Amino acid sequence: MKKNKRKLSTAMSFIILFGIVSLFSDMTHEGASSIRGAYLTLLGASAGTIGFISGLGECIGYSLRYVFGKIADYTKQYWNLTILGYLLDLLAVPALSLVGGTYGWVWACLLLMIQRIGKAIKKPAKDTIMSFAASQEGIGKSFGIQEVLDQIGAFLGPVLLYLTMLFQTDGSTFQIYSRCFAILIIPATITFILLLYTKHRFPNPENFEPTPKEYIPFQLKKEFIFYIIGISLFAFGFMDYSLIIMHISHFYTNLANGLAETTSLINTGTIPLLYAGAMLIDAISAMFFGFLYDKKGVKALIWSTLISAPFSIFIFSMHSIPMVLIGILLWGIGMGAQESILKAAVTTMVPKTSRATGYGIFELGFGVFWFLGSWLLGVLYDISIPIMIGVSMITQLSAIPFYLYSTKCSTNNTK
């Protein structure tokens, strides 16, 4: 009796393999992110310097993605740009273990800038490569799978450094942190080996998607313009996790002497677990909303925005641990949905021949408004938390009409 064995398609094999590359890449990045701020402080950088460099690095990194998106479309060298970007990105992280001395923080900041430039080089080309295979397997589902694998890496990276610290019994705090960055050369090397293997096995991923018979130049169609406005508003109001964890750690540390429940559930040891939990929700949400996108299109973003927008109310105004956990749950849902659906939508709206440019515009708008929003919300946090909550919610919800306009324009174009 023959057994029916369902084999993975070539496109799905590529999607999974490319996702595993992202898994080890995220182990490197997120592992570094978990100790980066403390490491810069040990090197002598002030809080203001750390904030400025982090914000500037993100802004420059996202802005350059438009430039390298245009380059990718013009040259069609998707693999070469992806490999170059990964090389700069991955080498800069373990190289942080080599800095030190009086101006060590300057060299560390320079390496962080190089890392951001590496991400800017690779991101539009990488997402475009991914979109070719995704067009065969379901765009939302494919980007959802990649996000799940990303978040597994985002969880394993900090765990790797936690274990590294656990088994180190000698040396100063600076030396321990330095060794942590050095050990990240392991996932970084695995990432690069797997990347080269993926290129060798799938040298022409553009063949996954048929090329239009006629060249279609890039045009800013109304549906894409409304979509970019919508995701920019969403990014502006969807605050960075660093502000959330700062509030939680600061607020509950101040209450620690008076609330037994607080000291048992939220303390220095358990706070990292909140981020791990958020990443788990992120992964599940990415998969769910990815499948939903394949059925409902951009309308799936409306549902995810409605669900996640109130997260700031639960985290910043309801002084209860269960409410904080609900808030983090909602934040994780929004994060996962944006990582899967936002990229998938670009694939649908922009033709194959100019898709890297579309991704560059998407990354530019999203990144700049994320930076500006995080900056403003951080300032408002010190002035008035209720106003901060209001701005966060209103800007996220104001994205919904633009999603609807985008969907309407898309429907009219297909008639």
Side-chain angles (χ1 to χ4, degrees), residues 9 31 39 62 75-76 84 92 107 127 135 179 209 212 244 257 287 293 313 319 351 358 375 379 386 408:
S9 67
Y39 189 63
Y62 275 101
T75 64
K76 307 300 179 187
L84 174 61
W107 291 107
D127 287 341
S135 64
R179 291 169 196 159
E209 183 178 350
I244 294 173
N257 293 329
M287 183 63 74
Y293 176 82
I313 296 177
H319 303 148
W375 183 20
V379 171
K408 184 177 180 181

Side-chain angles (χ1 to χ4, degrees), residues 210-361:
T211 302
K213 293 181 180 180
E214 296 181 3
Y215 174 73
I216 304 175
F218 178 76
Q219 294 179 341
L220 282 174
K221 296 180 180 179
K222 284 185 178 181
E223 62 174 312
F224 190 62
I225 294 173
F226 285 136
Y227 175 71
I228 292 297
I229 294 172
I231 64 104
S232 297
L233 288 169
F234 176 82
F236 192 92
F238 197 83
M239 63 187 64
D240 191 81
Y241 190 78
S242 59
L243 182 61
I244 294 173
I245 203 63
M246 183 206 73
H247 169 78
I248 292 173
S249 60
H250 175 72
F251 184 81
Y252 285 97
T253 297
N254 289 343
L255 294 181
N257 293 329
L259 294 177
E261 178 191 12
T262 296
T263 57
S264 63
L265 290 180
I266 296 183
N267 52 50
T268 303
T270 59
I271 280 178
L273 297 180
L274 295 177
Y275 184 72
M279 293 301 97
L280 177 63
I281 298 300
D282 181 330
I284 297 171
S285 173
M287 183 63 74
F288 174 79
F289 283 102
F291 276 97
L292 187 62
Y293 176 82
D294 288 334
K295 294 182 178 180
K296 301 294 184 181
V298 176
K299 290 181 180 179
L301 265 176
I302 297 173
W303 289 106
S304 66
T305 302
L306 287 171
I307 293 171
S308 64
F311 74 85
S312 56
I313 296 177
F314 292 92
I315 293 174
F316 294 95
S317 67
M318 298 184 182
H319 303 148
S320 159
I321 290 173
M323 294 298 102
V324 167
L325 297 179
I326 291 174
I328 291 176
L329 169 69
L330 298 179
W331 184 89
I333 289 173
M335 195 71 182
Q338 74 179 29
E339 288 290 342
S340 58
I341 299 176
L342 296 188
K343 295 177 184 177
V346 177
T347 303
T348 305
M349 296 179 186
V350 182
K352 176 183 178 181
T353 52
S354 55
R355 194 166 295 150
T357 300
Y359 275 117
I361 293 173

Side-chain angles (χ1 to χ4, degrees), residues 160-187:
L160 173 63
L161 295 198
Y162 170 76
L163 294 175
T164 302
M165 292 180 177
L166 190 64
F167 291 103
Q168 290 189 73
T169 57
D170 61 321
S172 64
T173 303
F174 172 77
Q175 290 172 328
I176 291 172
Y177 277 32
S178 182
R179 291 169 196 159
C180 284
F181 280 109
I183 206 167
L184 290 175
I185 192 69
I186 297 174

Side-chain angles (χ1 to χ4, degrees), residues 14 79 129 132-133 202-209:
F14 171 78
W79 269 127
I129 289 174
F132 295 147
F202 301 97
N204 301 300
E206 61 272 16
N207 292 340
F208 284 123
E209 183 178 350

